[in-house]
Amino acid sequence: MLRKPSSITNPYYSGIAVAILAANLAWSVAVAVEPASPRGEDQPNQAIDPLSDRFADSEGEEVPNFQKHIVPLLGRLGCNGRACHGSFQGRGGFQLSLFGYDFKADHEAMLDEDTGRVDLEDVDESMILAKPTDADLHEGGKRYDKDSWQHHVLKRWVEAGAPFDQKEVQSLTKLEIQPAEIQFTNQSDHVKLRAIAHWQDGSAEDVTELCRFSSNDDSIADIDQNGRVQSGTSGDTHVVVYYDNAVVAVPIIRPVGPPAEHQPEYTHPVDRLVQTKLNKLGIVSAGRCTDAEFIRRASLDITGILPAADTVRTFLADKSSDKREKLLQKLLNSPGYAAWWATRFSDWTGNSEEQLNNVLPVRNAASRLWYEWLRVRLAANVPYDKIVEGIVTAKSREQGESYADYCKSMTEACKPGNENKFAERDGMPLYWTRVNFRQPEDRAIGFAYTFLGIRVECAQCHKHPFDQWSKNDFEEFAKLFSPVRFNQNQVTPDAKAERKEILAQITEGKDLKSNGDIRRAIQQAARSGEVVPFGELLIAARGMTSAERRKLIARAKKAGRKQPAPRIPTGKILGEPDLVELDKDPRPALMQWLRSPENPYFAKAVVNRVWSNYFGAGLVDPTDDMNLANPPANAALLDHLASELIQHEFDLKWLHHTIVTSETYQRSTDTNETNINDRTNLSRHLPRRLPAEVVHDAVLLATGSDTRAKELRGELEEMAIAEGQPRLRNQQNFVLEVFGQSIRETNCDCDRSDSPSLLQSIYLRNDSEMHKRLSDKNSWVMQACEALGVPGPVGAQDPRQLAAIRKTDAMRKQMIKRAQQFRRLPEARQENLRKQLEREFASAAKRVTRAGFAVPKFEELIADPEVWASLEPAEMAGNAEAVATVSDLIEEAYLRTLSRYPDENESKIALQFIEESEATAAGVQSLLWALVNTKEFIITH
């Protein structure tokens, strides 16, 4: 497990042992920051003077150190950057390691005679001295002046023979930045940073001139190449200092205003830690949100389900002081909680039917099994570390289960509706079987995304630019995943005979000429209910190969050591100095490290992701990019929640409850002159667009009748938050695609998009599916019209009935026209044609009556032909007595869409609009359409 050095006091990652192994040496880096001095004044130290003082003259006895001075200086000058010699192809025939962390390779490259960078015989002809001082000669421009301290450092190193000994590489134990925190008061303020390197041998040196600097927001604080920080606009950010393999972020604050005279006193730990930061910034937070805002916000965030109108009405009428707590408990124990969070965990763990293709012999089953396994555990509130353990250490077979029983159990579980049988199994091995998760490197990247919330892929090629991970670290970490193997046709040796027997029963008597034929026969057998063979997750633990043993012995001889005893292959956990031997399944050791209280990432990663669900952004944003250069917006808060989650034995419902019961979560969107520009310090609720699945289901619930909505909320099978219908996940669904549902191509949180787009507006405003839902016979509009006793929307009628109506309506219009012509005839002519017209009317009246139209008497038609034109079809007329008023239904429409009552002006406008509409149904339909298209419907309140 990770060991915490006593010297580590980093406020952003307290408790982190930042220890890594680089190639053939151990690095132990700990970032320590001292308390900030008033207005950023420097603190006394025992560090030796900077190189600019010690190498001001060309003469001297001190020889620069390659690791401590030469490589950092090249980095400061930009020589080993991406745009220069640090690029993959190098530049001008000379290549350095990116960011300069492969000392051995860089030293060899500089001494290579072909590059001419170092000429030990004619020092001044060394290109490392000649080219950077000549803008015309050097493609990268002039980097320093001749006879400058930089020139003296490099020249004296070459004169001394360009020394470097791999065995003498030291570990940087601490990079101390003075001041550790800066608080500006005016835009004209500036502070010069000082960086002190503390080395393994106890020495300390001022290395400010060798550091690289950057700002996370240069509009608030800009920093130049010399470490001078210039104040900007009000707000807070960090400047980042890079030296050797250390990365240190320094908080910068410029208050928005003076501290409030009467600062609120909170008892909730979340609120106390948030308020501490707000006090520093001089930001006054918004007040509490309304009950209407809370029920909608909490319901959508916790369960992903829009609250029903009756539920909102009851909650708003409740006068008890603990009604929010009671609502929270109800939501956390509802089926929607487990359904929605199983979908979120499916995102984070990479549950993708596309990537699970052909993993099981039964098609379109793997994703359903994965989801249900998670849902059942979340419903039972299984501790987070136990859920992860079931994934990380998963095995295909249960303890003591035979291969035949395993296949029988899995065949049964794969049948639609039987997913709960898979959920009863201890492990979820499907995580390891994905097509895009087969190679050790892919697993290292995906595992780090999912369970650590970090992005290590940069270290696959070079040292991570924003963290301490080296290429060697990545390679060692990836080794841990190499023994885990999966192939649908592979089983453990003891199961081969049983698999062969099961397969023989399926293929007997069939002419199967290819593996494809066999696979299709197995799939057909599974559909028929026969037991089919399943592949198994295998652990290919092994000893050291002959080639590996020879390489180890050669390395020992070269180092002058005795030949070592043969070892087994090993891998190293990120940040862990000890090696994990690969002669057995390495995953239990990996899981032990994950749940260790000293683990710097595991608890914080899940806290950060859950937090982002409630606030739209994590305390570290992006949520899967926790690195030293991207510190939390509120480090103390993240530390507190992570440590408390561990203390509460990874109880996820405790975490949800803690967040939602805070005043921080319950704040309104109200702005004031201090918090109007705040987007990171939680001084107000920031409205955000609802996730794709929630939008999809909210439209269903808002437009469907009460009966239909109750069915959806009760069963969840058709809800996108529960990955209900297979088409919602496995096939393209326009709504979910447009609103950015996670595509789950990788484990990156960026697979989900919350960005707005024109297509989203087009769908809600003009999509045929949207209009169909508004006019469907099971729509709320139809229900409302029935309650009003008025005709329903035309779209609610049966198409065949509508065709018949149109046909007979044409006949009605023809009779009206004939009656009008009859009236214009002379009386004598009318008398001759009267009986003929009566017969035509009687015939037409029968057909028109059957179609549902009201029919006048013949004499009424002759007296006034237009009387028939004003009569509507009986099927389209509201024959029932009204049981509600238009005002009642306006109120209902607001409650079911926006979870609040309309104000007086809104009610007046809606009532007037409906009354002035050609038909009441059209007015009600337009009202609901307008509410669904408001920003208030599509975003959080």
Side-chain angles (χ1 to χ4, degrees):
M1 295 185 295
L2 289 172
R3 297 167 178 78
K4 176 184 175 183
S6 59
S7 62
I8 295 181
T9 57
N10 187 335
Y12 305 110
Y13 295 96
S14 64
I16 300 177
V18 189
I20 61 173
L21 266 171
N24 300 320
L25 57 113
W27 292 81
S28 176
V29 179
V31 176
V33 289
E34 308 300 333
S37 58
R39 301 220 6 114
E41 296 174 7
D42 290 345
Q43 300 291 316
N45 64 83
Q46 302 299 317
I48 60 176
D49 293 337
L51 290 181
S52 59
D53 290 346
R54 289 147 45 204
F55 288 83
D57 298 327
S58 59
E59 301 298 326
E61 296 182 359
E62 182 181 356
V63 176
N65 182 278
F66 185 73
Q67 174 197 359
K68 297 179 180 180
H69 305 136
I70 302 301
V71 172
L73 178 57
L74 295 177
R76 171 66 177 268
L77 296 173
C79 302
N80 53 28
R82 291 188 185 94
C84 200
H85 301 290
S87 66
F88 287 116
Q89 69 273 17
R91 187 63 68 87
F94 176 49
Q95 182 180 11
L96 294 170
S97 63
L98 186 60
F99 308 122
Y101 287 89
D102 190 339
F103 301 132
K104 184 174 182 293
D106 287 350
H107 186 259
E108 291 174 352
M110 294 176 72
L111 265 64
D112 189 336
E113 293 183 0
D114 292 336
T115 68
R117 260 55 190 184
V118 172
D119 189 335
L120 298 179
E121 296 181 0
D122 191 345
V123 173
D124 290 329
E125 289 300 313
S126 298
M127 293 179 69
I128 195 175
L129 298 174
K131 289 191 69 173
T133 59
D134 190 326
D136 295 329
L137 182 63
H138 190 221
E139 185 180 343
K142 187 177 182 180
R143 310 311 298 171
Y144 57 83
D145 293 322
K146 192 172 182 180
D147 292 327
S148 64
W149 68 266
Q150 295 96 331
H151 182 263
H152 295 161
V153 168
L154 294 171
K155 183 176 181 180
R156 201 176 299 179
W157 176 69
V158 176
E159 288 175 337
F164 170 68
D165 188 343
Q166 180 73 32
K167 293 182 292 185
E168 294 181 0
V169 171
Q170 290 194 41
S171 295
L172 178 66
T173 58
K174 182 172 65 176
L175 182 62
E176 175 189 350
I177 305 300
Q178 300 175 350
E181 180 179 304
I182 299 175
Q183 183 161 330
F184 290 124
T185 57
N186 300 302
Q187 193 162 355
S188 60
D189 291 348
H190 59 85
V191 169
K192 178 74 162 57
L193 293 181
R194 190 182 186 202
I196 311 297
H198 296 264
W199 294 95
Q200 184 181 11
D201 61 3
S203 63
E205 179 180 359
D206 185 332
V207 294
T208 309
E209 299 164 333
L210 300 176
C211 294
R212 294 179 291 114
F213 304 95
S214 67
S215 172
N216 288 350
D217 188 342
D218 55 15
S219 68
I220 296 173
D222 196 12
I223 187 168
D224 66 17
Q225 62 178 357
N226 298 314
R228 183 179 183 272
V229 185
Q230 177 66 51
S231 175
T233 59
S234 300
D236 67 306
T237 186
H238 293 80
V239 294
V240 187
V241 185
Y242 308 85
Y243 174 75
D244 197 70
N245 66 333
V247 180
V248 183
V250 179
I252 311 291
I253 290 179
R254 186 186 165 201
V256 176
E261 293 183 7
H262 303 288
Q263 296 176 354
E265 295 183 4
Y266 295 110
T267 57
H268 197 293
V270 169
D271 298 325
R272 289 203 308 267
L273 292 167
V274 169
Q275 190 59 42
T276 298
K277 181 78 177 289
L278 293 178
N279 290 342
K280 286 184 176 182
L281 285 162
I283 293 178
V284 178
S285 60
R288 215 179 208 215
C289 66
T290 65
D291 287 340
E293 290 169 336
F294 179 79
I295 187 174
R296 191 177 198 271
R297 185 187 303 177
S299 298
L300 293 172
D301 285 347
I302 296 173
T303 67
I305 299 175
L306 189 69
D310 286 344
T311 303
V312 176
R313 190 180 286 109
T314 301
F315 181 77
L316 297 182
D318 188 352
K319 302 301 181 184
S320 60
S321 60
D322 63 342
K323 66 179 183 179
R324 294 194 179 192
E325 171 65 27
K326 288 188 291 187
L327 174 66
L328 173 56
Q329 293 298 337
K330 182 179 179 180
L331 292 172
L332 287 174
N333 291 297
S334 69
Y337 162 77
W340 173 230
W341 284 94
T343 294
R344 298 313 311 273
F345 273 74
S346 290
D347 287 346
W348 301 330
T349 53
N351 178 12
S352 167
E353 190 65 49
E354 182 180 352
Q355 300 301 332
L356 292 166
N357 186 38
N358 289 330
V359 162
L360 299 179
V362 182
R363 296 179 66 84
N364 298 325
S367 182
R368 291 187 287 107
L369 301 181
W370 187 321
Y371 171 82
E372 184 65 9
W373 190 91
L374 289 170
R375 190 200 64 78
V376 167
R377 280 153 182 77
L378 289 165
N381 199 31
V382 173
Y384 175 67
D385 65 323
K386 292 288 186 181
I387 295 175
V388 174
E389 182 177 26
I391 297 172
V392 173
T393 65
K395 297 179 180 178
S396 296
R397 283 190 256 167
E398 300 285 270
Q399 185 71 30
E401 185 179 38
S402 69
Y403 178 74
D405 288 341
Y406 160 64
C407 293
K408 182 179 179 181
S409 174
M410 288 297 298
T411 301
E412 192 68 21
C414 287
K415 295 178 181 178
N418 283 358
E419 294 83 5
N420 62 303
K421 295 183 180 297
F422 180 79
E424 294 171 358
R425 303 181 71 82
D426 293 335
M428 209 279 292
L430 294 171
Y431 173 81
W432 298 98
T433 65
R434 290 167 291 161
V435 175
N436 63 346
F437 205 66
R438 300 283 176 87
Q439 299 303 315
E441 295 79 12
D442 294 332
R443 286 174 172 168
I445 294 170
F447 190 94
Y449 270 133
T450 300
F451 302 118
L452 303 176
I454 60 177
R455 300 179 179 181
V456 298
E457 61 266 34
C458 285
Q460 188 173 5
C461 301
H462 52 76
K463 192 267 181 189
H464 198 295
F466 306 120
D467 218 313
Q468 74 268 30
W469 316 125
S470 68
K471 186 173 182 290
N472 187 68
D473 290 319
F474 181 90
E475 292 170 351
E476 290 291 331
F477 185 52
K479 285 181 184 178
L480 293 174
F481 305 100
S482 59
V484 185
R485 308 286 176 83
F486 176 80
N487 185 296
Q488 184 182 334
N489 299 317
Q490 289 183 343
V491 295
T492 56
D494 66 299
K496 289 184 177 180
E498 288 180 281
R499 184 183 189 280
K500 187 176 182 180
E501 182 179 345
I502 294 172
L503 189 59
Q505 294 175 358
I506 295 172
T507 60
E508 185 178 3
K510 298 176 182 177
D511 184 20
L512 305 177
K513 300 180 179 180
S514 66
N515 290 333
D517 292 340
I518 296 174
R519 184 171 63 250
R520 285 186 286 273
I522 292 174
Q523 292 171 353
Q524 179 59 44
R527 286 193 291 270
S528 302
E530 298 179 47
V531 175
V532 296
F534 283 75
E536 290 190 277
L537 203 63
L538 304 178
I539 303 300
R542 63 178 179 83
M544 183 171 284
T545 65
S546 299
E548 289 171 332
R549 187 178 295 109
R550 287 195 300 270
K551 186 176 180 180
L552 186 69
I553 293 173
R555 187 179 300 169
K557 285 182 177 180
K558 188 175 181 180
R561 299 190 302 269
K562 293 181 178 180
Q563 293 186 8
R567 294 188 294 117
I568 55 177
T570 56
K572 183 177 71 66
I573 295 171
L574 283 178
E576 171 59 60
D578 296 333
L579 296 173
V580 177
E581 296 182 344
L582 302 182
D583 60 334
K584 58 184 178 182
D585 190 348
R587 296 177 302 160
L590 194 59
M591 187 63 224
Q592 182 182 3
W593 172 70
L594 283 179
R595 60 158 49 108
S596 166
E598 287 78 28
N599 188 292
Y601 306 109
F602 183 60
K604 288 182 180 179
V606 69
V607 165
N608 197 44
R609 282 193 168 109
V610 171
W611 184 274
S612 73
N613 183 81
Y614 289 106
F615 293 92
L619 291 167
V620 175
D621 188 46
T623 50
D624 55 3
D625 194 15
M626 293 195 296
N627 65 68
L628 296 177
N630 184 34
N634 192 318
L637 177 56
L638 182 59
D639 286 344
H640 169 79
L641 289 175
S643 62
E644 285 298 304
L645 180 65
I646 295 171
Q647 290 297 317
H648 285 81
E649 298 180 338
F650 292 96
D651 184 340
L652 289 173
K653 286 190 177 180
W654 169 87
L655 179 59
H656 293 292
H657 184 274
T658 298
I659 293 173
V660 177
T661 53
S662 69
E663 289 297 317
T664 301
Y665 176 74
Q666 297 180 57
R667 285 186 175 136
S668 72
T669 58
D670 296 342
T671 59
N672 55 55
E673 61 181 6
T674 65
N675 75 359
I676 191 169
N677 293 318
D678 176 34
R679 301 194 64 82
T680 58
N681 292 298
L682 312 165
S683 61
R684 60 188 174 95
H685 176 75
L686 293 175
R688 63 187 185 280
R689 205 210 69 208
L690 300 176
E693 297 88 345
V694 179
V695 172
H696 175 278
D697 295 345
V699 171
L700 283 181
L701 295 170
T703 58
S705 66
D706 288 345
T707 302
R708 176 63 175 150
K710 187 176 180 180
E711 290 175 355
L712 291 170
R713 288 188 176 94
E715 299 174 1
L716 299 181
E717 279 84 357
E718 296 181 55
M719 302 278 274
I721 61 146
E723 304 200 352
Q725 301 173 2
R727 66 181 179 84
L728 296 182
R729 167 56 61 185
N730 301 332
Q731 298 179 21
Q732 285 190 340
N733 179 278
F734 180 73
V735 187
L736 298 176
E737 183 179 347
V738 163
F739 282 93
Q741 182 187 45
S742 176
I743 55 178
R744 298 181 186 170
E745 286 184 348
T746 67
N747 287 102
C748 179
D749 291 356
C750 58
D751 282 344
R752 176 179 290 274
S753 172
D754 293 325
S755 301
S757 72
L758 181 60
L759 284 178
Q760 295 168 10
S761 297
I762 290 175
Y763 168 76
L764 291 174
R765 295 185 182 187
N766 204 37
D767 192 84
S768 59
E769 184 180 271
M770 186 72 193
H771 288 284
K772 181 180 178 182
R773 286 175 176 166
L774 288 168
S775 60
D776 186 82
K777 63 181 179 180
N778 291 321
S779 69
W780 177 79
V781 174
M782 187 65 185
Q783 174 188 314
C785 290
E786 290 174 355
L788 291 172
V790 300
V794 175
Q797 301 298 309
D798 184 274
R800 289 172 296 182
Q801 184 183 26
L802 288 174
I805 288 174
R806 284 193 292 269
K807 184 176 180 180
T808 52
D809 189 35
M811 187 178 294
R812 179 185 68 158
K813 292 177 180 177
Q814 179 65 24
M815 285 306 305
I816 293 172
K817 184 177 180 180
R818 292 276 286 133
Q820 290 171 338
Q821 292 173 343
F822 179 83
R823 283 172 55 83
R824 289 194 293 268
L825 294 173
E827 288 186 13
R829 184 70 171 156
Q830 287 181 359
E831 192 64 32
N832 292 334
L833 295 176
R834 188 179 187 88
K835 289 185 179 180
Q836 179 183 342
L837 186 62
E838 277 190 82
R839 287 194 299 271
E840 291 179 13
F841 172 78
S843 176
K846 289 181 181 179
R847 296 186 182 184
V848 172
T849 301
R850 284 198 299 268
F853 283 93
V855 178
K857 294 179 180 179
F858 178 72
E859 295 299 334
E860 293 174 341
L861 176 66
I862 296 302
D864 181 10
E866 295 299 325
V867 70
W868 205 4
S870 64
L871 297 178
E872 295 181 341
E875 290 291 333
M876 299 176 69
N879 295 325
E881 293 185 8
V883 295
T885 66
V886 174
S887 295
D888 293 335
L889 294 172
I890 291 172
E891 181 180 283
E892 183 76 11
Y894 272 81
L895 288 170
R896 69 176 18 247
T897 55
L898 308 183
S899 306
R900 66 171 177 84
Y901 289 104
D903 61 32
E904 184 177 349
N905 189 49
E906 289 170 330
S907 295
K908 182 179 178 180
I909 293 173
L911 183 60
Q912 181 180 352
F913 175 80
I914 292 174
E915 289 177 345
E916 293 177 354
S917 299
E918 291 184 4
T920 302
V924 174
Q925 187 174 351
S926 295
L927 171 64
L928 189 61
W929 175 88
L931 290 173
V932 170
N933 275 280
T934 60
K935 288 183 179 179
E936 198 174 347
F937 178 79
I938 207 70
I939 65 174
T940 60
H941 294 187

